[in-house]
Amino acid sequence: MRIMEHNEVDSRATPVDVTTWQPPLYAAQVHAYFAGEPLRLGAGTHLLAHSALIEDRRGVERRLTPPVRQAEPVLAPEHPWEHRRAFYPTILADPATGRLRMWYGTLPAFKPGEPIPPYSLLYAESDDGLHWEKPLLDIVHDGDHAHTNILYRGANNNCSAVCIVVDPNETDPARRYKMLHKGGTDANGVLGEELAFSPDGLHWQPYAGNPVMPMRHDCNLNLLYDPQRNVWRAYCRPYAWASGRWLPGDHPRRRIAIAESPDLIHWGKVRTAIAPQEGDSNEFNHIAVFPCGNLLVGMLGIFDVPEGDQHTQLMHIELAVSLDGLQWERLPGRPTFLSPSGVDGTFDRDSVQACSAAVRDPKSGEMLFYYNGSVCEQQSYSTAIGILRMKPDRFVEQASGPEGGWLLTREFMLEGDALTVNCRAQGAVRVELAEYPGQPIPGFSADECDPIRGDHLEHRVTWRGGDGDLAELLGRPVYLRFKLEDAGIWAFTMGART
């Protein structure tokens, strides 16, 4: 292993924590707000993609910010035991070396009606999140291949829809890593979610009490941990019947559901959280959920299938946002966040699926989000793992055209003495602090604001050439009013000037 010199800067990519999140304070303050109390935002970054923070808009609309797709996959199947398929990565950092660790899945080809072959869990490592190495280990053999990068196949010959976490409350070193995954049929014929433990992320043992969630789901699972409530939440995709029965010629529909657990072993009932609405495809395949400032951003995988055709595995991705992870808001017009490339010779020609994995590029500062791309042929399909590049927090902007527009936030208690904005402006962005019922505060009006031009991830807002010190307003209820001239804003951050 190469040792870094004392004065050398670590240029390795770092994984984004996609597991730990708790709702912002104001998610529980709706009734108090409409009774006359200001919101308590606290310090931190607040994305403007959700309507909960918006009091009014004029000449401003939400616009999806498309990601930049890298043409080539970052991890593709190459070994016989990968069966031309690599999908659904989980990425964590090795606490000893700082290297990135990826766990991903594969599945042999099979024909409809045949027994489903075993899904396998595989392993890779990287320094930058772009170039991955697959160590050949003596853990799981595959036919004549004594050394593979396969780690586990589950107690019931199925290890798919995997999510791996490090449990912050676990005291047993043998259970440091925990994996929830779709399982096979147990001795009693029950299909369900299974739990496995590992001391090092490589050697896995099934939980003796499996299945922990005796209701079979499909596709990738997503786990979130709320440290305030000390609760795990699983985003999963059970089958659903509105009729309550399997009718002739019918098929259970795909929906996004939630279940909660204090320990990943004892789970509550599964409840539908996101279901198709009027104008939607009738199949919601999966969601990848990412904590971003005050919001959860969900990348929602939707089947593009004709009514009644349940076997066409073609998907695109749309966005949804939530304050509490339970109720989700989607954008008007249902714009597509990511679609298949549709180009011959590309790994994602026919279908794309979101994954619950992201890293931060140390060179550009960009977020790298991982996804599956597939080519679907008549007899088989191939899948590889690609990346999407995005600037931090830039999922949905509130934007105006050259004619200009205004955006007014909800009233909130000012709890930081500095304000920065994530914005871009061909014209200008100006910011005003106002007090009820919306009057500008002298010294902090839009006319006195130093105009912001260009593209900025974190620009300090100032007035009259000053340093933007808001200390004199601390503890006062205020509104933020953004004047946008051919400009857009993604988020604002309340913090300390130091």
Side-chain angles (χ1 to χ4, degrees), residues 77-93:
E78 57 185 299
H79 299 302
W81 56 85
E82 291 178 295
H83 307 289
R84 301 179 62 219
R85 300 172 185 178
F87 48 70
Y88 291 144
T90 293
I91 297 175
L92 300 173

Side-chain angles (χ1 to χ4, degrees), residues 470-493:
L470 302 177
E472 66 182 88
L473 303 179
L474 283 172
R476 287 176 61 176
V478 299
Y479 300 85
L480 292 182
R481 179 179 283 121
F482 297 97
K483 183 179 182 182
L484 305 177
E485 302 168 0
D486 200 5
I489 180 169
W490 286 271
F492 67 89
T493 299

Side-chain angles (χ1 to χ4, degrees), residues 440-464:
I441 297 175
F444 299 94
S445 69
D447 291 339
E448 296 168 291
C449 180
D450 300 318
I452 303 168
R453 297 183 173 90
D455 191 302
H456 307 275
L457 289 173
E458 195 173 8
H459 186 93
R460 172 75 59 81
V461 181
T462 59
W463 292 264
R464 297 170 299 173

Side-chain angles (χ1 to χ4, degrees), residues 267-316:
W267 290 89
K269 294 180 179 179
V270 177
R271 305 296 196 190
T272 299
I274 310 178
Q277 304 298 316
E278 290 81 357
D280 283 327
S281 159
N282 203 24
E283 305 288 340
F284 282 9
N285 184 67
H286 66 282
I287 192 169
V289 177
F290 298 92
C292 293
N294 58 317
L295 294 181
L296 284 179
V297 176
M299 297 185 187
L300 183 61
I302 299 177
F303 271 111
D304 300 311
V305 297
E307 183 64 29
D309 180 359
Q310 307 302 322
H311 302 288
T312 303
Q313 307 287 301
L314 307 180
M315 277 180 277
H316 71 277

Side-chain angles (χ1 to χ4, degrees), residues 5 64 75 92 114 194 238 245 274 384 387 394 401 446 470 479:
E5 298 294 333
L64 187 72
L75 189 141
L92 300 173
E114 292 182 345
E194 297 182 5
R245 53 190 54 78
I274 310 178
I387 60 164
R394 291 194 170 186
L470 302 177
Y479 300 85

Side-chain angles (χ1 to χ4, degrees), residues 194-373:
E194 297 182 5
L195 185 63
F197 306 113
S198 173
D200 56 10
L202 299 177
H203 302 85
W204 294 88
Q205 291 295 325
Y207 172 59
N210 280 330
V212 294
M213 197 187 300
M215 179 178 180
R216 186 171 187 173
H217 304 153
D218 205 352
C219 294
N220 55 326
L221 289 160
N222 205 155
L223 289 172
L224 283 183
Y225 175 68
D226 184 336
Q228 185 174 23
R229 296 174 58 218
N230 194 24
V231 166
W232 291 93
R233 179 182 296 160
Y235 289 86
C236 49
R237 199 214 73 194
Y239 292 119
W241 293 269
S243 64
R245 53 190 54 78
W246 197 315
L247 301 173
D250 197 8
H251 187 281
R253 302 299 179 176
R254 299 171 175 95
R255 304 289 185 258
I256 307 303
I258 289 171
E260 292 193 336
S261 169
D263 54 11
L264 297 173
I265 294 174
H266 303 92
W267 290 89
K269 294 180 179 179
V270 177
R271 305 296 196 190
T272 299
I274 310 178
Q277 304 298 316
E278 290 81 357
D280 283 327
S281 159
N282 203 24
E283 305 288 340
F284 282 9
N285 184 67
H286 66 282
I287 192 169
V289 177
F290 298 92
C292 293
N294 58 317
L295 294 181
L296 284 179
V297 176
M299 297 185 187
L300 183 61
I302 299 177
F303 271 111
D304 300 311
V305 297
E307 183 64 29
D309 180 359
Q310 307 302 322
H311 302 288
T312 303
Q313 307 287 301
L314 307 180
M315 277 180 277
H316 71 277
I317 300 170
E318 298 179 9
L319 287 189
V321 291
S322 177
L323 280 182
D324 58 11
L326 305 175
Q327 302 179 74
W328 291 80
E329 187 171 284
R330 298 166 64 201
L331 297 183
R334 309 289 192 258
T336 297
F337 178 70
L338 183 69
S339 61
S341 73
V343 177
D344 287 341
T346 57
F347 75 99
D348 56 356
R349 184 191 71 186
D350 298 323
S351 187
V352 290
Q353 296 170 284
C355 303
S356 305
V359 303
R360 187 181 297 274
D361 187 330
K363 296 180 180 179
S364 67
E366 293 175 311
M367 308 296 289
L368 309 182
F369 293 92
Y370 293 76
Y371 74 102
N372 304 333

